[in-house]
Amino acid sequence: MFRQRKAARVLSPAIALALLAPAAYTPMALAQQDSADLEEIIVTGARGRPRTVTDSPVPVDVFSAEEIEAISYTDTNDIIKTLVPSFNISRQPISDGASFIRPASLRGLPTDKTLVLVNSKRRHRAALVTIGGSGTQGPDMATIPAVALQSIEVLRDGAAAQYGSDAIAGVINFLLKENREGGSVSIDSGQYSEGDGASTTVQGNIGLPLGDNGFLSISGEFYEADQTTRSNQYCEGWFCLNRDDPSWDAFVDAGSASSIRGVGWNGNPATRLHYGRDNQTFLSNTHLANIGDGDVVQPWGQPDAEAARVFFNAGVDLDDNNELYGFGNFSDSTSNGSFFYRYPYNGTIEELREPDGSVYFPLEKHPGGFTPRFFGDVRDVSIVGGIRGEMDNGLSYDFSARTGESEIQYTLSNTINPSMGPESPTSFRPGDLINSETQLQADFTYELDNGALIAFGASWMDESYEVVQGEEDSYRAGPYANIDPHDFCEAGPDGLLTGSGAYADNMASDKGSGVDGLDCTNSNDPVFNVVGVGSNGFPGYSPQFSDVYERNSYGLYGDISGDVTDQLFLQAAVRYEDYDDFDAELVWKLAAQLDVTDNFGVRGSIGTAFRAPTPGQQGTTNVSTRLPQGLPVATGLFPAGGPVAQALGAVPLKPELSDNFTIGFTAQVLDTIDVSVDFFRIDVQDRTRAISTLQVSSTDAAQAGNTAAWQNFVKLRDAGVPGANSIGGVFYFTNGFDTSTQGVDIVATAPFEWGDMGTTTVTAAFNFSENKFDTDRSVVGRYLNNEAQHDFENYDPNWRGVITARHELNQLVLIGRVSYYGESINSNTGGNDPLGLRYQTFDPTWYTDIEGQYRFNDTFRLSLGARNVFDEYPAQGVVGDTCCGRLWESATGMDWQGAYYYGRLTVDF
């Protein structure tokens, strides 16, 4: 159901557009309600006659406010993940903006292929375009407070013919509360069993009357959470801070071979490590304050976070058949996290020759090295308004307008712009990202005498994505971005002091062997060191890459649905959509549902869909630290349609096209058990994905060998990329290959009556999804390396499941839930590479949540519970990116924070 208010009187045009959704938007739990309530809700589906959930032609999950409140999470993303096994989201602590706006997936496809609606209207996208992977840019569902929701509806089927671009994997529709009186306030507080990550959430809702025939429902949320740390001390073969770690000996051996000697740190913060290079001690301090948090220099876990959010929903009846409506939100959240630890002599912390010939070392600013801190202030605002109703001739209409904007303001601290040397500040404003959307829409429905429903309409949408230039120091190319910036050894390390610098002239007689050891014959002299450009960790957006990317589009659609016989229901839809930056697309869909018996039905759908790349995906740029070969390097992402990426071989992005197929059945067993099984396949043509990182090197060795890495550096340099000589890798998004995603969804609900002992309702939902390449591997290999190919098909578990039992006995409610993650396989070099290939298989994992609720009276309710009560963790990573103190794969959807205990007090009024 898209709308419950005035159900029997005003049809919801948006649900009519869904075609496949109308009868589906009924929770299986409603089968236990009396038929009068059931029929009232189904009337809003505009199907011509009441239908139960077993009549639905496509799979849909519907979750009530009560079910939403029973989840221990307050983040809407995590709530959906807990309820819908085909929906997955991960915690990525070091992933630039993805640490603040988390990307998700539905039915094995990234969230930008799922359309998100609020009150059946398209939700604007977040400003973040995730780097790597599919470059997801979808709505930020965390901006929707759970307390504002009356229900959540998840359509697990392609629906682009009904809604337009994005609805390849499915649709998630958030229905807001419509109360005109009463409300609630809740306080939720908890902490992890490790003693960190304390969080508090205060939520409230109040309903107010608007005149005699209207309502105003206002919901608000304040959320605050401390960070968690699930890390070991940083210790790798290239740099180690823990002499008790097995990697210590390898580090010392490597250091000795390169004349870097280590005495090391014994793990006690009071005794800092001392290192010597060329017999000179360069690191000596007695605390970790400038390096990281707590007792590790590289924290891994969930970040600090704070958010304040407000949502409103309003409606006023103009008369018996017409209504004004409006809703909107404001959200402001701030979060911060850490980047990779920068250790001395890592290419960022390097000795540099100052204009007077003396040596500057960044440890003067950051003793012991540093871990950049990254802050994101996310602001999200939207407003939707319209008028809907029914004309005298029976034609229902809905005219609406919406506008929404998402903005991320970035701040970076505890870092430097290495190229500025001693003049560098330690905090920066690298710029902002802004995504804006405005849409006008007209929807109509008309029911024919035979009960068939015709729906048609049009929409126009304007989109823009702005990359806002950062402060100059955040992208500035300082003097130390070049070799010998002060011309001490102008011709390079050739043994001759031909530079114009006075210091070099004075030392010409002894070839620079004087003050501070300047030696132009030594290629390792600090005068030849070149360091990175921009605020280290996240260089700012320079004028070259700051721009506004805009487009507009319009769409026309039509559909028809109805009962052909008492047993057979058919639906058909077609949509034409035209983007000013792409060719027009025409997509279609057919669906059917057949009642074989009163308790068994067969359903299915077939259709096409498409997703136009967003302006953000076409325009985003980023330079950050990644691990393309297991080692941290500065890696640049550049727009596929821009000169830099095209110099590397990129071509502009184009829309993804897809073919969707679903077939399944619904059944009622023993009169009380509802079961649905649905098989699906989604073939995506021209799949958007980031290529595997191309290596970049400006070293003499690379040049001498004429390697691809050297050629990539030349292309970056010639394209005018600032600090190209400090970038170690580069990549871009491309439409390089075709893929297929197939699987099955299984849902079953069963009530058990225990007489005086109460009632137990058990719901089990399982999803199996797998991704495969439909393009020849030789073609895929042009864009993805072996590791990326292997992990695309094997990294995520194929099986996910959730089993929930809810027992009600008078004022007491007991809830138990187990979540299942199936086997998955990770690789560190991928594919079938016979040299050094390593795989890690992760065994299935179960997580158990429990909660007890007790209602003292009509006003007060107390809940106590535990998430992951048995303190389960997935296996620690031994391949891939589990370096630098990281113990668990960050990108996994499995929880690696441990048990969480909480309490919640709710006051209803």
Side-chain angles (χ1 to χ4, degrees), residues 227 237 263 300 358 361 402 417 459 545 557 609 705 763 809 902 907:
Q227 73 170 28
V263 178
W300 295 91
S358 62
F361 202 26
R402 72 171 182 92
N417 179 337
S459 70
F545 298 106
Y557 71 87
T763 301
L809 176 61
Y902 63 93
V907 179

Side-chain angles (χ1 to χ4, degrees), residues 342-350 352 418 529-532 536 726:
R342 272 60 170 172
Y343 51 86
Y345 295 113
N346 72 334
T348 296
I349 302 177
E350 296 288 345
L352 304 171
N529 284 335
V530 176
V531 289
N536 187 251
S726 65

Side-chain angles (χ1 to χ4, degrees), residues 414-472:
N414 200 51
T415 186
I416 57 174
N417 179 337
S419 69
M420 293 179 64
E423 302 303 318
S424 172
T426 58
S427 63
F428 303 86
R429 282 279 289 113
D432 308 329
L433 301 174
I434 304 174
N435 187 86
S436 301
E437 297 176 24
T438 299
Q439 185 176 21
L440 303 177
Q441 189 163 327
D443 304 312
F444 304 91
T445 60
Y446 186 78
E447 189 170 0
L448 303 177
D449 293 339
N450 62 4
L453 184 75
I454 297 176
F456 57 95
S459 70
W460 173 86
M461 185 163 65
D462 179 79
E463 306 172 73
S464 70
Y465 187 80
E466 182 177 4
V467 180
V468 181
Q469 180 179 330
E471 295 177 347
E472 183 177 1

Side-chain angles (χ1 to χ4, degrees), residues 609-656:
F610 79 104
R611 191 195 69 83
T614 69
Q617 288 175 315
Q618 297 178 76
T620 191
T621 183
N622 178 277
V623 177
S624 60
T625 301
R626 295 170 62 83
L627 306 173
Q629 302 296 323
L631 298 175
V633 296
T635 307
L637 166 69
F638 298 97
V644 177
Q646 292 196 357
L648 296 163
V651 296
L653 293 176
K654 56 185 177 181
E656 299 168 303

Side-chain angles (χ1 to χ4, degrees), residues 544-545 549 617-622 636-653 689-691 694 696 711-712 714-721 727 729-734 783:
Q544 180 183 0
F545 298 106
Y549 303 85
Q617 288 175 315
Q618 297 178 76
T620 191
T621 183
N622 178 277
L637 166 69
F638 298 97
V644 177
Q646 292 196 357
L648 296 163
V651 296
L653 293 176
R689 194 169 178 86
I691 67 168
L694 304 174
V696 178
Q711 293 300 321
N712 290 333
V714 172
K715 293 173 183 177
L716 293 181
R717 182 195 62 191
D718 293 348
V721 176
I727 293 177
V730 65
F731 65 106
Y732 50 83
F733 298 125
T734 189
Y783 307 101

Side-chain angles (χ1 to χ4, degrees), residues 729-749:
V730 65
F731 65 106
Y732 50 83
F733 298 125
T734 189
N735 303 101
F737 43 82
D738 303 337
T739 66
S740 65
T741 302
Q742 58 187 9
V744 60
D745 290 308
I746 305 171
V747 181
T749 302

